[in-house]
């Protein structure tokens, strides 16, 4: 056992720690160590590990714990760990603390496996993200006041909002559209009383504004308050403290000591803060005003964290963590014009313009134009609050005035350029064509849906530029361009992807879609999965891009009827014909994409009179029905350098995904398991068919042409495929132009 918590040693963690092979318990929290978490491979007898607040100068990832099967407690909080959480289901963990890190992905399923085990994994909502934008899309708060742990209170003409959630060892409470809290940590010894998270005063208070100090928010480890949807600029933060738990009556209750750190925007403002010492006693108010707090991304974060130097069991277990009575966040900028005044000004201005243009252009055309334009400008104003704002000057400098040598490609949205920011970060800039009305809507949609999404297989949106007519989206740079370029590019622009790389790309895209459909806070259908919208980084890791057509679904609503939109050759037939949109539309598109990855050929062949088949999927379906070998579909450029069994499995999975009956297509999470061999394809049965009321059964009996089969994966003739694709093209053009 080695316990050095709260002793304040400094310097690099010694390498000699790796030699302590018989170590059963290691606690290094609340110190000033630097460096990285040591290699843990030799500590196979370790039962308890606590390394937090490690002051590392570089990013680090979750340590390898696979050999430590008997671990009971794991605390790696506040180490800025990156990457995914590994599968630790073989460990006998009772408690795990991971707050204060930058981990990706969703909460793994194994974390909820034990009835008695308590796990802590908090995904902080640090900005005015999608959920808030959907509820309050065009508003921002210039001030937020909170009565921590207590009811709504009015002091003079100022109102402090209620904060009455009970708290918990791992609790996130969104509370309102514009602020929220998270609390972390268990009381020592497994004490789970309510008093560990909300403190209530035990005596009469004679101080001013005593309503603010009657209750307080409390936690054994940390409390974090998030102010969201705030206007960027300087703020004044006021923190109200009063020690209402410990006493000054010479009893056992007076022996407790409280010490914690206060962070604002990630910067430590107060170290080892002691309320009783600052106030000169208990039940006395301490008010700390912090000016010039800079808000740059519409978010203000205030964290109170146990510093490891207070008492842990006196006067009772769990009373030693940080405590806060009230908080206010007030912008130094005068409040904007009221919503009512803004609406009045907008209505008057628009009415005047409408009257003038009515005379020139006519009533119908004017009404349509103004409606579309106002909706676009309104949406843009709302979403501008939610993502980092680049200036046009920054983008122009980064791309060297949009130099032709930096141009990466051209799409329907506009041109894409490579750029380098002043700090050396390489970016990709997607420039909106000024003549694209469809692009305006997709611009707003992409910002709203992608802000805050972090997944290894989804491209990251850094921010946007919206100055005058200059509308641009800024993404992380993908060194190997798109999957379409890699598969079908000519000369130096194409890549000969080997078989393992193709497998990894296919699994990565499936994981990204499974996240969007089943794991993300906001569930969505992408609607335009294709090779051109899958980007490859320098390691050829696939990342789904271009969310301009994505459609949001709620947890209790998994289908909708919309105008079809997408790309020729990738669109599911039930969507092209009836507009019936479900997650299975993306599954169909993925099946087409998987077939292209295997064959190295675009799904739709160039038009020619002598072609028996119009698409790769059609050809594969025909081969399967004729009992002919599907192995001939594999890209001939691979020669014999591929695993035939794996290739056949991928083709059959692609055919399963492109079944004309959406009820017979798997979920994307099932596709991931099928691709990885976790589910035997021969034994697979669709486990979660869509309910009859979605209308899928109605489409599954639709006769596309006299030549089609009526069961399973229908075989299309050339004529029926042409008919379907003509319809897709017609619908695509109708809703994109």
């Amino acid at each position: 056992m080695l316990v050095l918590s709260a002793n304040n040693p400094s310097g690099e963690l010694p390498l000699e720690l790796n030699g302590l092979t018989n170590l059963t318990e290691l606690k290094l929290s609340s110190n000033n160590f630097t460096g990285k978490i040591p290699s843990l491979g030799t500590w196979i007898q370790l039962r308890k590990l606590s390394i937090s607040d490690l002051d590392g100068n570089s990013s680090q990832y979750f340590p390898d714990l696979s050999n430590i099967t008997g671990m009971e407690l794991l605390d790696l909080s506040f180490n800025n760990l990156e990457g995914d959480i590994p599968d630790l289901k073989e460990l006998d963990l009772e408690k795990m603390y991971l707050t204060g890190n930058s981990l990706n992905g969703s909460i793994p399923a194994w974390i909820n496996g034990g009835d008695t085990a308590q796990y802590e994994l908090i995904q902080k909502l640090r900005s005015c993200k999608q959920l808030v934008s959907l509820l309050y899309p065009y508003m921002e708060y210039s001030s937020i006041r909170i009565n921590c742990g207590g009811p709504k209170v009015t002091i003079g003409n100022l109102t402090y909002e209620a904060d009455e959630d009970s708290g918990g060892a791992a609790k996130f409470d969104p509370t309102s559209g514009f602020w929220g809290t998270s609390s972390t940590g268990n009381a020592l010894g497994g004490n789970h009383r309510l008093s560990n998270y909300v403190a209530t005063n035990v005596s009469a208070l004679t101080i001013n504004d005593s309503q603010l100090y009657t209750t307080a928010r409390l936690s054994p480890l940390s409390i974090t308050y998030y102010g969201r949807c705030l206007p960027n600029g300087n703020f004044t933060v006021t923190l109200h403290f009063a020690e209402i738990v410990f006493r000054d009556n010479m009893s056992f209750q007076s022996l407790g000591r409280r010490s914690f750190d206060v962070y604002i925007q990630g910067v430590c403002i107060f170290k080892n803060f002691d309320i009783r010492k600052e106030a000169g006693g208990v039940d006395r108010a301490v008010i700390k005003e912090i000016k010039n707090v800079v808000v740059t991304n519409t978010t203000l974060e205030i964290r109170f964290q146990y510093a490891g130097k207070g008492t842990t069991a006196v006067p009772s277990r769990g009373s030693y963590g940080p405590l806060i009575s009230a908080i206010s966040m007030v912008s130094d900028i005068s409040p904007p014009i009221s919503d009512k005044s803004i609406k009045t000004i907008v209505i008057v201005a628009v009415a005047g313009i409408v009257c003038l243009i009515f005379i020139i252009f006519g009533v119908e055309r004017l009404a349509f134009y103004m409606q579309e334009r106002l909706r676009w400008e309104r949406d843009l104003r709302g979403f501008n609050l939610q993502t980092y704002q680049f200036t046009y000057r920054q983008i122009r400098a980064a791309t060297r005035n949009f130099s032709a040598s930096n141009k990466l490609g051209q799409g329907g949205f506009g041109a894409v350029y490579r750029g380098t920011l002043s700090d050396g970060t390489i970016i990709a800039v997607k420039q909106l064509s000024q003549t694209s009305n469809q692009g305006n809507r997709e611009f707003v949609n992409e910002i709203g849906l992608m802000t805050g999404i972090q997944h290894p297989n989804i491209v990251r949106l850094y921010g946007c530029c919206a100055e005058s007519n200059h509308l641009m989206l800024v993404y992380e740079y993908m060194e190997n361009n798109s999957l379409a370029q890699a598969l079908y590019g000519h000369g130096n622009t194409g890549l000969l992807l080997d078989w393992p790389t193709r497998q990894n790309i296919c699994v990565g895209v499936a994981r990204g879609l499974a996240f969007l459909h089943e794991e993300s806070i906001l569930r969505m259908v992408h609607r335009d999965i294709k090779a051109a919208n899958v980007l490859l980084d320098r390691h050829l890791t696939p990342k789904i891009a271009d969310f301009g057509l994505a459609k949001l679904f709620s947890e209790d609503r998994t289908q909708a009827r919309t105008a079809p939109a997408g790309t020729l050759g990738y669109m599911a037939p039930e969507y092209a014909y009836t507009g019936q949109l479900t997650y299975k539309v993306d599954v169909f598109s993925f099946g087409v994409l998987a077939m292209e990855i295997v064959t190295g050929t675009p799904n739709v062949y160039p038009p020619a009179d002598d072609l028996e088949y119009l698409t790769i999927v059609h050809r594969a379906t025909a081969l399967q029905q004729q009992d002919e070998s599907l192995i001939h579909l594999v890209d001939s450029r691979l020669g014999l350098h591929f695993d035939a069994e794996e290739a056949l499995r991928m083709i059959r999975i692609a055919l399963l995904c492109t079944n004309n009956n959406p009820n017979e297509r798997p979920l994307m999470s099932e596709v991931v398991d099928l691709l990885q061999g976790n589910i035997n394809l021969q034994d697979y049965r669709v486990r979660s068919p869509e309910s009859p009321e979605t209308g899928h059964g109605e489409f599954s009996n639709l006769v596309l042409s006299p030549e089609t089969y009526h069961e399973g994966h229908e075989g299309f003739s050339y004529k029926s495929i042409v008919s379907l694709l003509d319809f897709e093209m017609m619908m695509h053009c109708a809703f994109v132009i």
Side-chain angles (χ1 to χ4, degrees):
M1 178 187 297
L2 178 60
V3 179
L4 298 177
S5 299
N7 282 289
N8 290 322
S10 59
E12 291 268 349
L13 283 174
L15 296 176
E16 288 76 10
L17 287 173
N18 294 325
L20 302 178
T21 57
N22 294 323
L23 198 63
T24 59
E25 184 173 340
L26 176 63
K27 293 185 178 181
L28 302 177
S29 301
S30 300
N31 288 305
N32 296 314
F33 286 121
T34 60
K36 294 190 174 184
I37 295 174
S39 171
L40 307 177
T42 60
W43 298 349
I44 59 175
Q45 299 187 47
L46 198 62
R47 296 292 178 269
K48 298 179 180 180
L49 175 64
S50 178
I51 303 179
S52 62
D53 306 302
L54 188 61
D55 186 15
N57 295 322
S58 59
S59 62
Q60 51 187 320
Y61 296 89
F62 211 101
D64 183 5
L65 305 174
S66 57
N67 293 330
I68 314 176
T69 57
M71 183 173 290
E72 301 168 359
L73 180 144
L74 176 64
D75 180 1
L76 296 177
S77 55
F78 301 105
N79 287 312
N80 198 29
L81 297 177
E82 298 180 358
D84 293 330
I85 303 171
D87 188 347
L88 303 179
K89 62 185 177 185
E90 299 301 326
L91 276 61
D92 192 23
L93 282 172
E94 294 180 3
K95 298 176 184 176
M96 180 170 69
Y97 300 98
L98 299 179
T99 191
N101 291 297
S102 301
L103 297 167
N104 294 327
S106 58
I107 300 176
W110 58 265
I111 285 185
N112 297 320
D115 294 330
T116 59
Q118 288 184 308
Y119 297 102
E120 174 185 5
L121 181 61
I122 291 185
Q123 294 181 326
K124 301 181 198 175
L125 191 58
R126 289 182 169 176
S127 63
C128 182
K129 294 184 180 174
Q130 302 101 317
L131 182 60
V132 178
S133 70
L134 290 173
L135 298 174
Y136 311 92
Y138 316 118
M139 298 173 62
E140 60 181 28
Y141 271 15
S142 59
S143 64
I144 296 174
R145 295 178 176 85
I146 307 164
N147 182 27
C148 304
K152 184 177 180 179
V153 169
T154 299
I155 306 293
N157 61 350
L158 302 179
T159 298
Y160 289 77
E161 296 187 39
D163 176 26
E164 298 179 292
D165 185 79
S166 59
K171 188 71 175 289
F172 174 75
D173 178 25
T175 307
S176 78
F178 299 92
W179 64 276
T181 66
S182 69
S183 60
T184 64
N186 277 324
L188 191 67
N191 189 326
H192 309 309
R193 296 176 305 177
L194 176 62
S195 58
N196 292 328
Y197 309 105
V198 176
T200 303
N201 185 50
V202 297
S203 61
L205 295 174
T206 58
I207 56 180
N208 294 333
D209 304 330
S210 60
Q211 304 99 307
L212 294 179
Y213 305 98
T214 302
T215 59
R217 179 64 63 188
L218 176 69
S219 179
L221 177 58
S222 71
I223 318 163
T224 306
Y225 280 82
Y226 308 95
R228 305 194 296 272
C229 294
L230 303 174
N232 291 334
N234 288 350
F235 272 69
T236 296
V237 173
T238 305
L239 306 177
H240 299 259
F241 303 95
E243 181 54 72
I244 60 174
V245 177
F246 301 148
R247 301 289 89 203
D248 272 346
N249 54 9
M250 302 303 292
S251 69
F252 184 66
Q253 296 288 325
S254 67
L255 299 180
R257 290 183 295 108
R258 187 187 312 281
S259 180
F260 57 93
D261 298 339
V262 180
Y263 292 80
I264 299 180
Q265 299 295 61
V267 178
C268 186
I269 304 299
F270 303 117
K271 186 72 175 175
N272 299 324
F273 187 74
D274 187 325
I275 300 173
R276 181 162 56 179
K277 183 177 179 181
E278 289 281 334
V282 303
D283 296 341
R284 298 181 183 182
V286 177
I287 301 175
K288 295 291 186 179
E289 187 177 78
I290 302 93
K291 294 182 176 293
N292 299 320
V293 176
V294 179
V295 172
T296 58
N297 63 347
T298 75
T299 306
L300 204 164
E301 180 179 320
I302 305 170
R303 185 174 85 238
F304 308 90
Q305 181 182 335
Y306 170 56
K309 296 181 181 177
T311 56
T312 60
V314 176
S316 61
R317 294 186 185 276
S319 300
Y320 55 89
L323 180 146
I324 176 67
S325 298
I327 292 175
S328 71
M329 317 171 199
V330 181
S331 173
D332 294 347
I333 304 173
S334 300
I337 302 173
S338 68
D339 291 343
K340 185 175 181 180
S341 300
I342 291 175
K343 290 177 182 177
T344 303
I345 294 171
V346 171
I347 291 172
V348 172
V350 171
I353 296 173
V354 167
C355 290
L356 292 174
I357 304 181
F358 266 153
I359 301 172
I360 301 172
F361 295 104
V363 176
E364 283 189 7
R365 185 169 183 81
L366 172 65
F368 175 80
Y369 173 81
M370 291 301 296
Q371 182 182 5
E372 288 295 300
R373 186 64 184 175
L374 286 175
R375 184 173 70 176
W376 150 243
E377 291 178 350
R378 180 195 64 187
D379 288 351
L380 181 58
R381 284 198 300 272
F383 284 118
N384 271 351
L385 302 175
Q386 303 165 46
T387 186
Y388 182 81
Q389 298 295 295
F390 291 88
T391 65
Y392 178 68
R393 184 176 180 181
Q394 282 178 296
I395 301 299
R396 188 173 60 183
T399 59
R400 292 189 297 172
N401 200 22
F402 303 98
S403 166
S405 62
N406 280 335
K407 189 172 182 179
L408 299 175
Q410 181 79 32
F413 185 97
V416 181
Y417 292 87
R418 182 183 188 272
T420 305
L421 298 177
S422 57
D423 64 357
T425 301
I426 302 177
I427 58 174
V429 179
K430 194 175 182 182
Q431 187 180 43
L432 169 66
S433 171
Q434 295 184 12
T435 61
S436 172
N437 290 328
Q438 177 72 15
N440 289 352
R441 293 190 292 272
E442 293 179 15
F443 179 87
V444 172
N445 196 53
E446 190 144 0
I447 293 175
L449 293 179
M450 288 199 66
T451 300
I453 288 184
Q454 292 190 29
H455 188 274
N457 299 115
I458 296 177
V459 69
R460 184 176 178 185
L461 176 67
Y462 285 158
C464 70
C465 172
E467 290 184 13
S468 184
N469 290 327
H470 302 296
L471 301 175
M472 287 165 277
L473 296 171
V474 181
Y475 295 94
E476 63 178 321
Y477 176 67
M478 297 286 103
E479 290 84 349
N480 282 301
N481 211 305
S482 71
L483 177 58
Q485 189 69 42
L487 286 174
Y488 322 130
H490 301 289
N492 295 330
T493 62
L495 296 173
L496 180 55
L497 302 176
D498 61 21
W499 180 250
T501 300
R502 297 187 193 215
Q503 278 188 302
N504 290 337
I505 290 173
C506 202
V507 172
V509 175
R511 283 176 173 163
L513 283 175
F515 174 80
L516 296 176
H517 293 181
E518 305 169 38
E519 302 168 15
S520 175
I521 295 176
L522 295 181
R523 313 289 172 83
M524 66 187 78
V525 181
H526 187 279
R527 291 207 295 174
D528 201 16
I529 293 298
K530 58 182 178 180
N533 287 341
V534 174
L535 305 182
L536 304 175
D537 67 12
R538 59 179 175 174
H539 303 297
L540 297 176
T541 299
K543 303 202 176 190
I544 299 171
D546 202 338
F547 284 70
L549 298 180
K551 181 74 174 177
L552 195 67
F553 277 166
S554 60
E555 288 188 3
D556 59 348
R557 184 168 179 258
T558 59
Q559 57 93 22
R561 195 173 296 277
T562 70
T567 301
L568 178 67
Y570 291 85
M571 195 183 298
E574 80 275 9
Y575 186 44
Y577 274 88
T578 70
Q580 188 68 44
L581 179 66
T582 69
Y583 295 123
K584 299 300 181 70
V585 169
D586 278 353
V587 177
F588 184 96
S589 301
F590 172 81
V592 175
L593 178 64
M595 194 70 75
E596 291 180 331
I597 292 172
V598 175
T599 63
T601 307
N603 182 48
V604 180
Y605 290 112
D609 293 337
D610 59 345
L611 279 178
E612 182 181 0
Y613 307 108
L614 187 62
T615 71
I616 289 289
V617 172
H618 176 213
R619 182 186 173 196
T621 302
L623 289 175
Q624 186 182 50
Q625 290 172 345
Q626 296 163 13
D627 238 4
E628 295 185 23
S629 177
L630 296 170
I631 204 68
H632 301 302
L633 294 171
V634 178
D635 192 343
S636 60
R637 293 175 295 178
L638 292 174
L640 299 177
H641 302 294
F642 67 95
D643 188 309
E645 182 179 347
E646 292 173 349
L648 287 172
R649 182 171 69 229
M650 192 179 295
I651 293 171
R652 292 188 178 110
I653 292 170
L655 290 172
L656 182 64
C657 291
T658 53
N659 194 302
N660 280 325
N661 184 351
N663 290 340
E664 295 299 319
R665 298 174 205 154
L667 303 174
M668 285 309 305
S669 58
E670 295 173 330
V671 172
V672 173
D673 286 333
L674 286 167
L675 288 170
Q676 294 180 321
N678 298 330
I679 299 178
N680 190 319
L681 187 58
Q682 283 71 30
D683 299 333
Y684 174 76
R685 294 291 183 274
V686 176
R687 292 176 293 181
S688 304
E690 300 289 341
S691 59
E693 53 267 28
T694 64
H696 289 170
E698 176 184 342
F699 181 79
S700 65
N701 295 323
L702 181 65
V703 178
L704 300 181
S705 76
E707 295 85 5
T708 57
Y709 295 89
H710 69 276
E711 289 184 352
H713 200 295
E714 287 108 343
F716 288 84
S717 69
Y718 182 94
K719 180 179 177 181
S720 63
I721 289 290
V722 170
S723 175
L724 173 60
L725 294 180
D726 283 347
F727 182 84
E728 280 193 41
M729 178 61 81
M730 177 186 71
M731 298 300 293
H732 179 70
C733 293
F735 292 98
V736 171
I737 294 177

